[in-house]
Amino acid sequence: MRRVSVFGATGSIGENTVDLIARAPEAYNVVALTGGRNVARLAEQAKVLNADLAVTAFEECYADLAAHLEGSGIEVAAGQAAIADAADRPTDWAMSAIVGAAGLVPGLRTLRHGGILALANKESLVTAGPYLLAEAKRHGATILPVDSEHSAVFQALVGEDSAAVERVIITASGGAFRDWPLERLSEATLAEACSHPNWDMGQRITIDSASLFNKAMELIETKEFFGFTSDQIETVIHPESLIHALVGFRDGALMAHLGPHDMRHAIGYALHWPERGHVPVDRLDLAAIGSLNFRTADPERYPALTLARYVMETGGLSGAAFNAAKEAALDAFIGGKIGFLDMARLVETVLERLAGDNSLKCDKLTLDRVLDMDHVARKIAQTIVDGDRLRQSGAS
């Protein structure tokens, strides 16, 4: 039996991972499941999978989780330190699906076991890509991408020489505002940003899809994971979201990966790798689909893409600063403190301030440096937001 853990089990990636594992319980020994405030669901998952340990990220939720699991024999813990400790328990395969910078430390801890880290946490590669990859190499561990786009690139490169790659094209749905006139974007509300034209997702990822900050993160991930340069990496709006990525080679050929709107496709590939196991997803009916459409990803509509280019070309601690500022900007938008277009402006301002005093330069990434930059960038972003609010208050 393979020893597996799922970090972020109650999110959408985690739920889909649990679903696949639960279909073959005889094949897996579930070491640990972690989640957030939805302790009832976390407890239910732990019981279904007969997990050794269930951990909630919030210490105040410990009693509730313990009550749900009373008499089950499943160990219970709470807090960020407890999640890191859970990652220290040996596994053969672990899913990193915690959202945000909080997923970095557990992912790094699991690499020490020398097994497979299925990486769905974008922030790990964006903030600390070189360090994460170096740690995997040091411990003989394997990192497999679980974002559908990067899984698509990974699969398209199987048996290929990366030196023969001319371009990598990452597709994007375009989000809630892909058909809006540009002049309306400054008026976009939180509710409108949370309405995705293709599918139902969580609030934060849906807003990131509307701004294309999610795609900006994926461009940076592509550079870090596969080692391609910024000018080799493109993005294109593909409203149907059936082609997840394309890889172009020097002979002019394009290898496209098509798949349904189901994250179990990429998760299942990572779970069964290096084999291809059966995954219970819909099979595409190309005749019913009829056509696939593409359009330019306009940087004026999606300024986050320009910021991603800056990060890819700057390197150092710019990814950590970018991610922290992006998360702070998203918090400020959700909290009604800034407008939709202000998110990109805020991230750009934070990067400019840090570049001005050479804070983004770093010869060698370490975890401490990444975490320090995360703290500094968030603090700068918060100061900018608070300052703007104070000026608005004074003007009124």
Side-chain angles (χ1 to χ4, degrees):
M1 296 178 71
R2 295 176 76 193
R3 298 167 300 174
V4 302
S5 287
V6 181
F7 297 90
T10 55
S12 75
I13 297 294
E15 285 279 10
N16 282 308
T17 305
V18 168
D19 173 75
L20 291 178
I21 293 171
R23 291 170 184 268
E26 71 287 350
Y28 305 103
N29 170 23
V30 179
V31 176
L33 298 178
T34 79
R37 297 188 183 279
N38 191 356
V39 294
R41 179 56 184 154
L42 179 60
E44 182 181 0
Q45 291 175 327
K47 291 176 182 176
V48 168
L49 298 182
N50 192 28
D52 297 336
L53 170 69
V55 186
T56 169
F58 301 96
E59 294 183 5
E60 63 271 24
C61 294
Y62 174 84
D64 196 10
L65 180 60
H68 280 287
L69 289 173
E70 186 176 4
S72 67
I74 297 171
E75 188 179 347
V76 176
Q80 294 297 330
I83 290 178
D85 289 342
D88 285 336
R89 299 192 178 198
T91 55
D92 304 302
W93 188 95
M95 168 58 74
S96 174
I98 295 174
V99 175
L104 175 59
V105 171
L108 284 167
R109 294 279 190 96
T110 63
L111 292 175
R112 298 174 182 174
H113 312 313
I116 293 173
L117 176 65
L119 187 63
N121 175 264
K122 298 178 186 297
E123 293 76 12
S124 294
L125 281 170
V126 171
T127 63
Y131 178 66
L132 186 79
L133 295 173
E135 284 295 287
K137 183 177 181 180
R138 186 161 75 94
H139 295 289
T142 300
I143 300 177
L144 297 176
V146 174
D147 267 353
S148 58
E149 295 80 4
H150 303 103
S151 177
V153 174
F154 186 88
Q155 293 179 55
L157 288 173
V158 171
E160 300 287 351
D161 180 2
S162 293
V165 174
E166 282 188 342
R167 58 204 289 230
V168 174
I169 304 171
I170 303 297
T171 62
S173 70
F177 306 133
R178 67 189 180 203
D179 299 318
W180 279 38
L182 281 173
E183 59 271 17
R184 281 193 61 199
L185 291 180
S186 61
E187 305 169 0
T189 67
L190 175 61
E192 289 168 332
C194 289
S195 178
H196 196 283
N198 288 9
W199 49 76
D200 182 24
M201 304 184 293
Q203 182 187 55
R204 298 179 75 85
I205 185 59
T206 304
I207 299 169
D208 278 350
S209 178
S211 65
L212 242 63
F213 261 111
N214 70 323
K215 210 54 51 177
M217 300 275 282
E218 289 167 9
L219 295 182
I220 299 168
E221 284 183 275
T222 302
K223 182 254 183 184
E224 296 295 347
F225 189 84
F226 297 102
F228 298 123
T229 60
S230 173
D231 59 3
Q232 288 179 288
I233 304 169
E234 309 169 24
T235 190
V236 65
I237 303 302
H238 171 45
E240 293 84 6
S241 299
L242 294 174
I243 294 180
H244 303 299
L246 305 95
V247 177
F249 296 91
R250 61 188 173 203
D251 62 357
L254 276 173
M255 300 276 279
H257 179 284
L258 286 81
H261 302 154
D262 194 326
M263 281 306 301
R264 291 179 299 177
H265 197 161
I267 296 167
Y269 183 82
L271 185 62
H272 297 116
W273 182 88
E275 306 296 331
R276 281 192 182 271
H278 174 78
V279 179
V281 299
D282 293 338
R283 272 45 180 174
L284 294 182
D285 183 339
L286 296 180
I289 293 167
S291 63
L292 300 173
N293 296 279
F294 305 92
R295 67 179 80 160
T296 301
D298 180 5
E300 187 176 359
R301 181 182 296 274
Y302 303 114
L305 299 178
T306 301
L307 296 173
R309 299 280 174 203
Y310 173 80
V311 170
M312 287 191 284
E313 292 161 7
T314 302
L317 291 164
S318 61
F322 171 87
N323 178 71
K326 191 273 293 186
E327 290 189 10
L330 181 56
D331 289 338
F333 175 64
I334 292 173
K337 299 174 183 177
I338 63 174
F340 179 75
L341 292 180
D342 293 327
M343 289 190 289
R345 296 189 186 110
L346 177 57
V347 175
E348 181 178 17
T349 302
V350 171
L351 290 172
E352 286 176 347
R353 291 194 182 183
L354 289 166
D357 62 8
N358 292 323
S359 295
L360 299 179
K361 292 184 177 179
C362 181
D363 294 332
K364 184 179 181 180
L365 286 185
T366 66
L367 180 58
D368 286 343
R369 286 177 176 174
V370 168
L371 295 179
D372 285 346
M373 177 52 69
D374 181 90
H375 173 75
V376 169
R378 289 176 195 272
K379 187 174 181 179
I380 293 173
Q382 190 60 56
T383 299
I384 294 169
V385 171
D386 289 343
D388 286 348
R389 291 178 70 204
L390 287 171
R391 285 193 292 274
Q392 291 168 8
S393 177
S396 61

